[in-house]
Amino acid sequence: MEINGLPLHPLAVHAAVVLAPLVALLALASLVPSWRDRLRWPLVVGAVVAIGAVALAFVSGNSFRNANEFFSTPPSEITRRIDHHHALALKLLWTSIGFSAVALVSGLLHPEEGPLRWLLGLLLAGGAVAVIVLVVLTGDAGATAVWGGFNG
């Protein structure tokens, strides 16, 4: 996957790295009762856009790796780093899907109080923290695979 000869993955990653944590922070802010109504629709739209960015980054990463034999063979320190990055990216993808689903349900049902509100709030907070942590870990693993540890 390319745009004007440039691999799509390095471009798509920037959208995922910005949007996923931003929506996670938006979700955490929406847990403040006085902000919940105002942040409802930005959270719903943001969740959809962020999951699209994460999915595009994941799919384009697979395409980028498959298009370049250098990243697959022979097994080396670089390919092990890329495998680690891929494993974290897969966790991030599934965590983002779950988080976005909870954000959508929370925004669309919009319960004012009661046990459902508490359950959705707890799931939203946990998912938001998990997304932020996984974005940082996945990004660091990708940067280390590409830029770190080269000894000439």
Side-chain angles (χ1 to χ4, degrees), residues 4-45:
N4 283 341
L6 293 172
L8 181 59
H9 184 63
L11 302 172
V13 161
H14 289 86
V17 165
V18 170
L19 293 173
L22 186 63
V23 173
L25 292 173
L26 187 64
L28 292 173
S30 76
L31 297 175
V32 176
S34 62
W35 295 356
R36 187 175 303 135
D37 288 339
R38 283 177 269 188
L39 297 180
R40 176 184 182 189
W41 292 112
L43 178 60
V44 168
V45 171

Side-chain angles (χ1 to χ4, degrees), residues 45-140:
V45 171
V48 171
V49 173
I51 192 59
V54 170
L56 180 62
F58 184 82
V59 170
S60 66
N62 280 341
S63 175
F64 184 50
R65 183 176 187 172
N66 293 336
N68 295 285
E69 278 188 40
F70 170 79
F71 294 127
S72 301
T73 56
S76 66
E77 180 62 28
I78 292 171
T79 58
R80 282 188 286 281
R81 288 178 187 172
I82 292 170
D83 289 340
H84 177 63
H85 173 60
H86 180 267
L88 287 170
L90 186 60
K91 288 178 187 176
L92 174 60
L93 176 66
W94 286 110
T95 301
S96 295
I97 289 169
F99 168 72
S100 292
V102 171
L104 289 171
V105 168
S106 179
L108 296 174
L109 291 181
H110 197 58
E112 292 296 323
E113 53 187 64
L116 181 59
R117 174 77 255 150
W118 283 99
L119 176 62
L120 288 172
L122 184 64
L123 291 173
L124 205 56
V129 170
V131 164
I132 292 169
V133 168
L134 282 169
V135 164
V136 170
L137 292 175
T138 304
D140 181 64

